[in-house]
Amino acid sequence: MMDADAIVVGGGLAGLAAAIAVAKAGLSTIHLAPAGPPDRRTSALMMPSVEYLQSAGLIGEPGAFGQKLSQIRIIDATSRLLRAPETVFNAKEAGLGAFGWNFANVRLTEAFQASMEALPNLRTIAQPLSQFELGADGPEITLADGSHLRAPLVVGADGKKSLVRAAAGFRARENGFTQAALVCDLELGRGLDGASVEFHYPNGPFTLVPAGGNKANLVWIDEREVLKQAQALSKEALTALLLEKSQRLFGGITLATPTHIFPLSTITVDHAGANGVVLVGEAAHAFPPIGAQGLNLGLRDVADLSAALAATDRSQPDWAVRLSEDYAHRRADDLSRTGGMVDTLFRSLLADMLPAQALRAGGLWALKLLPALRKQAFAVGMGSR
Ligand SMILES: Cc1cc2nc3c(=O)[nH]c(=O)nc-3n(C[C@H](O)[C@H](O)[C@H](O)COP(=O)(O)OP(=O)(O)OC[C@H]3O[C@@H](n4cnc5c(N)ncnc54)[C@H](O)[C@@H]3O)c2cc1C
């Protein structure tokens, strides 16, 4: 006896979006979403993702709680022999009003949760999954309180350390980095005027993303130890350090929130679906926040899950197995292309070898000068398919 058509595990943004998509496809859905601390990250979402969120009814007008991203400035702040020129990408050049929008994850979470309320076939249980088994009759789940649930389809959206991924036997490759990301909100002397500004330092980028008015979200990637030391500084000393790293381009800086540090790693899976189990979001893929790809890719997972659901005949007894295979097939190219692109970009940013520096500097010169290449770069960065 099945408890639902589908169980979605994980209450992050990918899990919320997936639970809504599955319920909207008409499946009786249980969403396992244990309460956790608020997600202090922000997400730069490219236009295709924003359009998806609007068409899926997950958000209304992005301007109500997000900030438009109309320019990307890349500043080589290394003292390397071969330095790249400052490169500026304008959305107008790509024929767009904006590359995308920057949102606080807590605001996206609120918007997604609000759109869940209208779905009577979606039930949320605020408990974690403690055990997952793939029996002869399909997936079986044990909750933290010892109760059991069964459904033909399970969506694993339980993040980087996904229990669903491990227990369902998905082969994953993981690679930890010594770098981490420090995030916080800043009040600047001068606003960013819609520009996301990336200072490329030898240990990783220091990025200021527009957050409305003179506010900016900082995403600073560096060695974990360097970030921990920065975090331990007095407010005045940290402010002085951030001012120096931003090359004083935006006047004074005031810390608007406490700092948070996120460890960085990459995770890739061979297949994102099999045996009635599909993986979405960081359960299926994780990489450093370079080129704002993580949640953008997670939302493309959800869009493909919706497409696979629409293409599946659920009157067949093995529908969930076939759906999981169809989903894996739909996701394969995008996952391998995006993962490869971010990995190459990250390594080229950190590489100390002269050939890699030459390639990167040459690449940015080419992007600065060659319109056709810029057009291609826009398409890749936006996640166009
Ligand atoms: C500093 C930083 C900046 C970033 N900036 C961007 C950006 O600008 N643009 C972009 O597209 N991406 C960005 N990303 C990536 C993006 O934040 C992530 O890809 C996205 O938030 C992942 O969402 P998720 O739901 O897959 O995972 P998570 O947010 O990790 O959610 C996983 C959920 O699963 C739950 N869970 C775990 N185990 C269990 C269990 N056993 N049972 C039930 N639930 C469980 C957890 O409680 C959690 O709620 C950034 C990441 C970082 C670190």
Side-chain angles (χ1 to χ4, degrees):
M1 169 77 182
M2 295 290 167
D3 298 289
D5 295 325
I7 300 172
V8 179
V9 185
L13 288 170
L16 285 165
I20 293 165
V22 174
K24 281 198 169 167
L27 281 73
S28 61
T29 308
I30 295 175
H31 185 209
L32 296 188
D39 184 343
R40 295 289 172 209
R41 293 170 290 189
T42 53
S43 295
L45 295 182
M46 300 301 145
M47 279 322 291
S49 299
V50 176
E51 283 156 11
Y52 168 73
L53 291 180
Q54 288 188 284
S55 68
L58 290 164
I59 62 167
E61 202 35 62
F65 62 106
Q67 300 306 317
K68 212 180 228 187
L69 299 172
S70 47
Q71 204 183 63
I72 299 170
R73 276 178 79 182
I74 300 179
I75 298 169
D76 190 345
T78 63
S79 50
R80 287 170 178 156
L81 202 55
L82 294 175
R83 293 184 57 194
E86 174 170 336
T87 310
V88 180
F89 298 97
N90 272 307
K92 268 200 203 123
E93 224 188 304
L96 299 165
F99 287 120
W101 292 76
N102 184 38
F103 300 101
N105 285 10
V106 283
R107 300 299 304 279
L108 282 178
T109 303
E110 285 163 10
F112 291 9
Q113 282 169 341
S115 70
M116 285 178 131
E117 281 161 20
L119 296 166
N121 55 334
L122 174 58
R123 177 157 71 100
T124 299
I125 301 180
Q127 274 197 63
L129 159 85
S130 65
Q131 212 181 324
F132 176 96
E133 268 178 78
L134 208 47
D137 296 329
E140 188 172 326
I141 269 174
T142 308
L143 303 186
D145 67 0
S147 56
H148 301 280
L149 289 175
R150 288 191 55 204
L153 177 67
V154 168
V155 179
D158 47 345
K160 278 186 182 180
K161 295 191 176 130
S162 172
L163 200 155
V164 173
R165 182 182 68 225
F170 286 93
R171 225 175 61 168
R173 285 169 302 283
E174 292 192 49
N175 194 357
F177 292 109
T178 55
Q179 288 87 1
L182 179 144
V183 304
C184 66
D185 295 352
L186 303 175
E187 188 74 38
L188 306 176
R190 271 193 300 283
L192 295 169
D193 205 17
S196 172
V197 185
E198 300 181 15
F199 298 88
H200 286 188
Y201 282 96
N203 288 343
F206 176 97
T207 304
L208 296 171
V209 191
N214 283 8
K215 279 208 173 65
N217 302 130
L218 169 67
V219 182
W220 171 16
I221 296 178
D222 209 316
E223 290 294 328
R224 201 176 310 140
E225 284 313 310
V226 172
L227 297 180
K228 278 190 184 160
Q229 282 165 19
Q231 199 174 37
L233 292 171
S234 68
K235 216 171 173 179
E236 293 71 29
L238 177 57
T239 306
L241 177 62
L242 300 182
L243 202 54
E244 191 190 317
K245 289 198 80 85
S246 66
Q247 301 186 349
R248 297 174 192 273
L249 286 185
F250 307 101
I253 285 184
T254 313
L255 282 166
T257 60
T259 55
H260 295 273
I261 295 181
F262 293 87
L264 301 184
S265 58
T266 55
I267 294 169
T268 50
V269 288
D270 289 342
H271 306 284
N275 302 315
V277 182
V278 302
L279 301 176
V280 302
E282 289 197 337
H285 47 76
F287 28 69
I290 305 276
Q293 293 294 326
L295 184 58
N296 282 286
L297 192 57
L299 293 174
R300 298 209 289 279
D301 295 340
V302 177
D304 269 344
L305 177 58
S306 291
L309 282 163
T312 300
D313 174 3
R314 285 197 290 119
S315 64
Q316 302 296 316
D318 62 344
W319 67 267
V321 173
R322 285 186 296 106
L323 178 137
S324 60
E325 286 161 5
D326 180 20
Y327 172 78
H329 181 68
R330 287 173 192 264
R331 293 309 295 139
D333 279 355
D334 192 18
L335 292 187
S336 102
R337 192 176 48 237
T338 309
M341 177 187 83
V342 178
D343 195 49
T344 310
L345 198 57
F346 192 55
R347 287 176 200 284
S348 87
L349 287 176
L350 302 181
D352 260 337
M353 289 169 332
L354 208 54
Q357 288 176 30
L359 269 177
R360 186 173 154 270
L364 281 174
W365 271 113
L367 283 178
K368 195 174 164 74
L369 300 172
L370 300 175
L373 205 59
R374 284 171 79 87
K375 215 170 157 198
Q376 215 178 337
F378 287 142
V380 173
M382 301 278 288
S384 306
R385 298 201 255 179

